[in-house]
Amino acid sequence: MICVIMAGGRGTRIAEINSAVPKPMIMISGKPILQWQIEALVSQNVKKIILAVGYLGNVIMDYFGAGERFGAEIKYIVEDSPLGTAGALGRLRGKIPGEDFLLVNGDILFDVDLERFYQYHKLKNKLVTIFTHPNDHPFDSGLIAADAEGTATRWFNKEEPRTWRQNRTNAGIHMCSAQMLDLPVFDHETRIDLDRQVLKPLIEKRLLAVYDSPEYVKDMGTPKRYHEVEKDIKSNMLHKKNLSHQQRAIFLDRDGTINKYVGFLKDIGQMELKDDAAEAIKRINQEGFLAIVITNQPVIARGELTYAELKEIHHKMETLLGEEGAYIDDLFFCPHHPDRGFSGEIAELKCDCDCRKPKTGLFVKAAEKYNINLSESWMIGDSDTDMLAGKNAGCKVAAIGKAVQVHADIHENTLLGAVDKILKID
């Protein structure tokens, strides 16, 4: 596979770290960002790399040279004048005929399972598949919405007004069909914005797929993020979160654990985070556990809430968490209810399913999706049902509050207290 790295950025927001080199050449833990990228690619057998360089491009070319270097065959596209984040791509027409290629922003550190990503791209058969993930600053990132089939439906630029949105941001990694280069936008060499002029217009034609993953991808657009990445390198966070490795998760109940308990939550106005929820989940994020919500939502089967209304409630929860720098990696819910007799109930959802806690269907689904080792994972909740579900799935369990009677490995009054105790143990 060929990888094209857009390495022409100037890096004005991170200039205080080093303004004398182009952004991809800023040193982090002893190596330029670009070298971290190339080594990550080579480790997964990506051996042909094209660097699109512009601002101080000679610094990059002098460091990496051409031909066989750093385990890869390195070539260049040189911008004589700034061409934006995609203007240089037109020069690749006819040079990678018939091949899918990887397109990567030059200011990110990443370690993702590229084979898994590529197989998803082939399955979806779209012009481009964009890698999305939750992050701790969704309020200043582009957000991507997708349908149940994984096709992009909306793209919210960071300056656009938003209400409640799922925290799924554009990570800066793309799997592209060679036919993308035939788009009319590349007919003339000019300054082109990859997101706004190339990718976003594909949504209307249903040609943009979305690959969502919790793996490590982080941009270094600001000094704060630069220092966060430096810390993550030292703790080996980059490699641990690659889905080719088994993951550890902290599963979280929703009602009474993340949000304030109101009984059956049916109105979006009732969705309020508990005071310690964002801080607790932020600590889960920082320690490299997956934060996954497992929740029973019988209000769907009872006809008291639609799927669309439940989605909006969950988007509000994610937005509120994101405003405080926290995120969940995924959410799994059971819409079923075993008892009949409710006015307006949905007959096909009235069943004895395998996903309603304390059964383990949702845990199994999450484990298969994210390569989770359940025996090394935890369930946190505020009810006996949560404790039994976690135990049945083979997880360790932590209870919060006073109502839980089932024996738990940890029992704390608050979510934050339980998370802190787990992190000390693990």
Side-chain angles (χ1 to χ4, degrees):
M1 182 184 294
I2 295 173
C3 179
V4 180
I5 303 177
M6 305 306 291
R10 185 165 187 154
T12 53
R13 291 186 301 165
I14 199 174
E16 69 179 66
I17 300 294
N18 188 344
S19 61
V21 297
K23 181 161 57 171
M25 290 301 292
I26 289 176
M27 301 292 284
I28 184 163
S29 293
K31 291 184 283 193
I33 295 168
L34 200 48
Q35 186 175 341
W36 282 101
Q37 292 186 329
I38 290 172
E39 289 176 355
L41 293 166
V42 169
S43 72
Q44 296 195 61
N45 208 36
V46 177
K47 301 295 181 68
K48 295 181 179 181
I49 297 173
I50 299 172
L51 304 178
V53 301
Y55 174 71
L56 295 179
N58 61 296
V59 175
I60 294 174
M61 292 188 287
D62 289 346
Y63 186 92
F64 289 99
E68 290 289 336
R69 299 295 304 276
F70 295 89
E73 179 187 341
I74 297 177
K75 297 181 179 180
Y76 297 91
I77 302 172
V78 181
E79 301 176 8
D80 298 320
S81 58
L83 294 175
T85 52
L89 290 178
R91 296 187 189 178
L92 293 175
R93 277 183 169 176
K95 295 181 180 178
I96 46 177
E99 283 194 55
D100 294 325
F101 66 96
L102 190 64
L103 178 62
V104 176
N105 293 357
D107 63 347
I108 58 175
L109 241 65
F110 61 91
D111 192 336
V112 306
D113 187 338
L114 293 177
E115 180 62 23
R116 182 188 286 244
F117 184 20
Y118 177 66
Q119 291 303 325
Y120 181 91
H121 171 69
K122 297 300 289 184
L123 177 67
K124 296 303 175 182
N125 195 31
K126 302 292 185 182
L127 203 61
V128 177
T129 301
I130 185 171
F131 189 111
T132 65
H133 65 158
N135 73 17
D136 58 8
H137 53 98
F139 42 82
D140 71 347
S141 303
L143 297 181
I144 317 297
D147 62 21
E149 285 72 47
T151 301
T153 56
R154 293 286 302 275
W155 186 307
F156 301 91
N157 295 322
K158 59 185 178 182
E159 74 278 5
E160 291 183 71
R162 307 166 182 177
T163 48
W164 313 123
R165 297 294 169 199
Q166 186 180 25
N167 181 348
R168 290 300 178 269
T169 68
N170 173 16
I173 304 177
H174 324 78
M175 200 69 73
C176 308
S177 162
Q179 286 68 46
M180 183 193 82
L181 301 175
D182 296 328
L183 291 170
V185 70
F186 296 118
D187 285 348
H188 305 285
E189 187 168 289
T190 185
R191 193 180 186 97
I192 297 171
D193 184 285
L194 176 65
D195 293 351
R196 298 165 193 262
Q197 293 176 260
V198 180
L199 301 178
K200 191 174 181 179
L202 297 179
I203 293 177
E204 187 175 348
K205 300 175 182 178
R206 295 187 61 79
L207 293 175
L208 183 65
V210 173
Y211 177 76
D212 192 59
S213 173
E215 293 169 290
Y216 193 97
V217 183
K218 196 150 192 170
D219 76 84
M220 278 153 290
T222 67
K224 178 178 180 290
R225 291 175 207 159
Y226 172 89
H227 293 301
E228 288 172 347
V229 171
E230 206 168 34
K231 179 182 175 183
D232 292 339
I233 290 172
K234 291 176 182 176
S235 67
N236 201 33
M237 180 84 74
L238 270 75
H239 306 306
K240 287 179 182 177
K241 297 198 77 173
N242 185 304
L243 290 182
S244 65
H245 307 308
Q246 280 207 311
Q247 302 297 302
R248 296 187 300 168
I250 294 181
F251 296 102
L252 301 155
D253 174 48
R254 194 194 79 176
D255 300 308
T257 302
I258 296 175
N259 58 282
K260 296 177 181 178
Y261 185 77
V262 294
F264 291 115
L265 196 160
K266 307 170 190 175
D267 188 307
I268 194 168
Q270 297 174 309
M271 169 52 73
E272 295 182 48
L273 296 182
K274 295 183 72 174
D275 293 340
D276 65 341
E279 180 59 31
I281 293 173
K282 188 189 301 186
R283 294 188 192 183
I284 295 171
N285 302 149
Q286 292 169 344
E287 292 300 319
F289 280 86
L290 299 182
I292 297 179
V293 177
I294 301 283
T295 178
N296 291 342
Q297 290 301 316
V299 286
I300 298 293
R302 288 160 49 141
E304 297 167 342
L305 204 63
T306 66
Y307 282 107
E309 289 167 335
L310 181 63
K311 179 187 285 189
E312 188 78 353
I313 287 170
H314 289 154
H315 286 180
K316 180 179 179 180
M317 180 182 73
E318 290 203 46
T319 301
L320 294 175
L321 288 170
E323 288 173 351
E324 298 189 52
Y327 58 85
I328 60 170
D329 291 289
D330 210 335
L331 182 149
F332 297 84
F333 70 90
C334 170
H336 307 107
H337 192 258
D339 302 326
R340 298 180 179 272
F342 296 88
S343 175
E345 67 185 16
I346 311 300
E348 60 268 26
L349 297 178
K350 295 302 227 172
C351 61
D352 184 15
C353 64
D354 66 354
C355 57
R356 179 176 168 82
K357 293 182 293 185
K359 293 186 180 179
T360 62
L362 297 182
F363 292 86
V364 172
K365 186 176 179 180
E368 290 175 348
K369 185 174 182 180
Y370 295 120
N371 192 18
I372 295 169
N373 184 338
L374 291 173
S375 67
E376 293 296 320
S377 299
W378 288 80
M379 173 69 198
I380 304 179
D382 66 333
S383 73
D384 290 340
T385 298
D386 296 326
M387 298 303 98
L388 289 171
K391 285 176 175 287
N392 291 340
C395 301
K396 292 164 279 189
V397 296
I400 60 173
K402 299 178 180 179
V404 176
Q405 301 298 315
V406 174
H407 174 73
D409 298 285
I410 291 173
H411 200 146
E412 292 286 324
N413 287 329
T414 66
L415 176 59
L416 184 56
V419 168
D420 280 346
K421 183 82 64 84
I422 289 170
L423 297 182
K424 286 177 182 177
I425 293 172
D426 283 82

